[in-house]
């Protein structure tokens, strides 16, 4: 990214988006289009999102070509765009400022007086989705950019008419340090992205800088020791949440009520505020809801509105998303890819009353698999049955010499297959009515679930979606 002034958007009017059909790019285009910027975009493939982009009057070029950037005063690109992309090369050759999507998110966040930036190694999408929904239900009309699809807003972002902005604050490569954050949320801090940070201490230092940059209060998990380390001695207003005594927003007597409902007593400042019922499972989602409530209350929303809104929250896409059933076998999908996320999701699944739990896991990045190998072995032993795909390298080459077979060797009874077709065939043969099959990973493992439905339908099995 070319070094940009934090007020760079104040001096331009024409912006070109490379990869405008991406789920992370579209909400940024929505916001900038509403603010009156003249936008153009390009993408390689037609999609429903591109139809929505064109519906806003934004010209879209199919395919990438240097001439597509003509007239642009700034070019935005996604991390997935290769360095030799012709539009990116043309922009740099012409001296046009280029900014990666995360940098543009930072510029946009500065245009709102009250930004709620949700950080943490895990839970950002769910917590930011909960927060956005609560604010919408309260009539606060926020703008929002989240990392998953939320039914309540019909996608991954929305444009509101208020000065409130809700977004995820991702720590990868310190991108969250470019955000303007008024209300900062830290859900948790764990070892991740060690290919960039190197050590847990460096991760904690980065979160501390994020907190120091915040202009308002920090809402944080008071039970998380790494978060407490990051905030120790910080001269900011701190608002804690968690299960432990002493937290400002506390969940007491949490209970499981059926497969997908969790409930707890909400205690705020030592006062019992009544019961909160969640339509999403897991103790980790209780923590996400506490953080969302704390952020909403800080913005003037009542506990009553928070309670009603959360009761109707059914989750963001790929967050323990129930996809349907095949002959009474429940098929679900989840984004969990880090050992801590897998532990939370799999422990939740094992306590939901299903027959057997089949975990279908796709490891993501060689570095994470290698560095956290022992942690993966431990958490992948939780489900009744484990099925794995080969590692999805993402942005990496396999210089680590790590393979799924190495995990399988340490996990007796597990199986792995090189293709999603083989995974689908195996699961459809082995799973029985009353079982839960959950695909897990941040890559494209959800395609294995799609294969299961496709093959089951072709075989004339009872499919409900």
């Amino acid at each position: 990214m070319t070094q940009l002034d934090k007020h760079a958007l104040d001096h331009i009017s024409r912006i070109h988006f490379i990869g405008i059909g991406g789920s992370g790019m579209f909400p940024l285009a929505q916001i900038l289009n509403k603010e009156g910027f003249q936008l153009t975009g390009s993408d390689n493939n037609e999609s429903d999102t591109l139809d929505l982009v064109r519906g806003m009057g934004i010209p879209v070029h199919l395919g990438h070509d240097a001439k597509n950037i003509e007239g642009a005063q700034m070019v935005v690109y996604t991390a997935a765009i290769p360095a030799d992309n012709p539009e990116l090369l043309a922009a740099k050759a012409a001296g046009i400022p280029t900014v990666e999507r995360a940098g543009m998110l930072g510029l946009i966040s500065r245009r709102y007086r009250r930004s709620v930036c949700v950080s943490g190694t895990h839970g950002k999408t769910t917590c930011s989705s909960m927060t956005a929904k609560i604010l919408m239900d309260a009539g606060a009309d926020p703008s929002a950019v989240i990392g998953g699809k939320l039914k309540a807003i019909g996608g991954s972002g929305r444009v509101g008419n208020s000065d409130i902005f809700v977004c995820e604050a991702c720590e990868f490569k310190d991108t969250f340090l470019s955000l303007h954050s008024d209300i900062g949320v830290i859900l948790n801090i764990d070892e991740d992205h060690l290919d960039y940070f190197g050590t847990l201490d460096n991760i904690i230092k980065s979160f501390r800088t994020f907190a120091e940059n915040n202009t308002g209060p920090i809402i944080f998990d008071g039970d998380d020791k790494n978060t407490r380390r990051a905030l120790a001695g910080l001269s900011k207003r701190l608002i804690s949440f968690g299960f432990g005594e002493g937290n400002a927003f506390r969940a007491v007597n949490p209970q499981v009520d059926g497969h997908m409902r969790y409930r707890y007593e909400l205690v705020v400042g030592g006062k019992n505020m009544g019961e909160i019922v969640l339509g999403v499972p897991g103790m980790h989602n209780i923590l996400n809801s506490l953080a969302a409530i704390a952020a909403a209350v800080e913005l003037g929303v009542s506990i009553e509105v928070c309670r009603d809104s959360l009761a109707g929250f059914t989750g963001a896409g790929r967050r323990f998303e129930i996809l349907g059933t095949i002959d009474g076998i429940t098929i679900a999908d989840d984004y969990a890819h880090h050992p801590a996320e897998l532990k939370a999701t799999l422990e939740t699944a094992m306590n939901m009353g299903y027959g057997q739990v089949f975990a279908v896991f796709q490891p993501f990045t060689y570095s994470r698999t290698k560095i956290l190998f022992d942690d993966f072995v431990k958490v992948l032993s939780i489900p009744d049955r484990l099925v794995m795909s080969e590692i999805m390298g993402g942005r990496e080459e396999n210089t680590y010499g790590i393979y799924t077979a190495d995990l399988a060797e340490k996990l007796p009874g597990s199986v792995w297959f090189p293709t999603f077709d083989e995974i689908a065939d195996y699961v459809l043969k082995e799973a029985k009515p009353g079982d839960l099959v959950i695909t897990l990973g941040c890559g494209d493992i959800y395609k294995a679930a799609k294969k299961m439905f496709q093959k089951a339908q072709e075989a004339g099995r009872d499919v409900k979606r």
Side-chain angles (χ1 to χ4, degrees):
M1 169 183 161
T2 304
Q3 190 63 37
L4 293 174
D5 178 83
K6 64 183 181 180
H7 300 295
L9 289 178
D10 295 342
H11 313 299
I12 64 170
S13 60
R14 297 178 63 87
I15 304 172
H16 179 75
F17 279 71
I18 307 175
I20 198 168
S23 61
M25 294 282 265
F26 178 58
L28 304 186
Q30 283 179 292
I31 292 171
L32 292 172
N33 182 68
K34 184 173 182 180
E35 290 194 9
F37 288 87
Q38 293 175 277
L39 305 183
T40 58
S42 62
D43 217 303
N44 273 330
N45 301 299
E46 288 288 358
S47 65
D48 293 342
T49 303
L50 287 191
D51 290 339
L52 294 173
V53 172
R54 294 187 181 103
M56 293 190 293
I58 299 172
V60 177
H61 305 280
L62 202 60
H64 299 299
D65 191 296
K67 65 183 180 183
N68 293 343
I69 70 163
E70 289 178 7
Q73 296 168 298
M74 179 181 288
V75 170
V76 188
Y77 61 97
T78 70
I81 297 298
D84 61 355
N85 178 276
E87 296 175 18
L88 193 58
L89 291 175
K92 291 179 177 178
I96 299 171
T98 61
V99 56
E100 201 268 326
R101 175 204 170 271
M104 177 56 76
L105 181 63
L107 293 176
I108 288 174
S109 70
R110 297 178 184 281
R111 302 174 76 83
Y112 292 84
R113 190 172 66 85
R114 295 184 289 175
S115 292
V116 182
C117 297
V118 181
S119 74
T121 312
H122 329 290
K124 294 183 291 292
T125 295
T126 297
C127 183
S128 58
S129 297
M130 287 176 169
T131 304
K133 183 177 186 300
I134 291 170
L135 292 169
M136 288 168 57
D137 290 343
D141 200 15
S143 295
V145 175
I146 59 176
K149 292 183 178 179
L150 177 62
K151 292 178 183 176
I153 63 177
S156 57
R158 78 182 300 267
V159 181
N161 289 298
S162 72
D163 63 354
I164 299 174
F165 180 56
V166 179
C167 72
E168 294 185 32
C170 182
E171 76 277 10
F172 179 59
K173 292 190 176 180
D174 286 323
T175 55
F176 64 171
L177 301 186
S178 66
L179 294 170
H180 166 73
S181 178
D182 177 37
I183 298 173
V185 178
I186 302 179
L187 296 171
N188 41 61
I189 302 175
D190 266 320
E191 287 184 305
D192 199 12
H193 305 304
L194 291 174
D195 54 325
Y196 173 75
F197 288 108
T199 67
L200 176 61
D201 284 343
N202 287 336
I203 298 172
I204 290 172
K205 287 176 185 176
S206 186
F207 274 91
R208 180 165 184 102
T209 302
F210 167 73
E212 289 173 339
N213 290 348
N214 209 73
T215 61
I218 301 292
I219 296 167
F220 73 102
D221 184 344
D223 300 336
D224 185 70
K225 65 179 182 179
N226 291 333
T227 303
R228 293 198 306 271
R229 275 184 60 195
L231 300 178
L234 189 70
S235 57
K236 296 277 185 181
R237 186 158 68 91
L238 304 178
I239 303 170
S240 63
F241 65 88
F243 296 106
E245 292 186 16
N247 286 307
F249 287 76
R250 185 180 173 211
V252 177
N253 193 28
Q255 297 179 16
V256 182
D257 178 14
H259 280 334
M260 296 294 289
R261 297 185 77 80
Y262 275 54
R263 59 179 71 236
Y264 64 91
E265 297 293 322
L266 173 65
V267 175
V268 180
K271 182 180 178 182
N272 193 314
M273 305 301 291
E275 188 176 64
I276 301 293
V277 179
L278 300 179
V280 287
M283 301 296 279
H284 56 297
N285 279 325
I286 290 180
L287 293 173
N288 289 331
S289 72
L290 288 172
I293 291 169
V297 168
E298 188 65 24
L299 290 167
V301 179
S302 70
I303 296 293
E304 289 71 28
V305 169
C306 293
R307 178 185 295 113
D308 292 344
S309 181
L310 288 170
F313 180 79
T314 56
R318 300 215 63 214
R319 272 67 182 178
F320 218 120
E321 182 180 6
I322 302 297
L323 303 178
T325 62
I326 299 171
D327 290 338
I329 303 161
T330 299
I331 311 295
D333 179 53
D334 195 274
Y335 194 72
H337 56 281
H338 182 280
E341 296 166 345
L342 290 165
K343 182 175 186 291
T345 300
L346 290 172
E347 286 183 345
T348 296
M350 293 294 288
N351 288 307
M352 291 175 71
Y354 288 102
Q356 289 195 102
V357 173
F358 284 71
V360 181
F361 176 56
Q362 179 187 54
F364 187 77
T365 73
Y366 305 109
S367 59
R368 180 184 285 115
T369 308
K370 179 72 171 182
I371 295 169
L372 301 178
F373 184 85
D374 291 341
D375 294 328
F376 277 116
V377 170
K378 183 180 293 186
V379 300
L380 291 174
S381 67
I382 293 173
D384 299 300
R385 305 283 293 272
L386 175 63
V387 184
M388 292 181 286
S389 73
E390 190 50 274
I391 299 169
M392 186 174 188
R395 58 190 175 271
E396 297 178 341
E397 297 293 331
N398 191 6
T399 58
Y400 297 85
I402 187 78
Y403 299 91
T404 297
D406 298 317
L407 284 169
E409 186 178 337
K410 298 290 186 179
L411 291 158
S414 67
V415 295
W416 68 275
F417 299 97
T419 70
F420 292 158
D421 274 306
E422 292 168 288
I423 287 174
D425 288 339
Y426 177 83
V427 171
L428 289 173
K429 177 185 174 187
E430 295 292 322
K432 302 292 188 290
D435 290 347
L436 169 68
V437 175
I438 182 165
T439 51
L440 298 154
C442 65
D444 61 352
I445 190 62
Y446 61 88
K447 292 178 181 177
K450 289 185 175 181
K451 289 277 187 184
M452 293 174 205
F453 283 108
Q454 177 188 338
K455 288 173 177 285
Q457 284 179 320
E458 290 172 353
R461 297 174 66 166
D462 182 21
V463 173
K464 294 183 174 64
R465 300 193 71 173

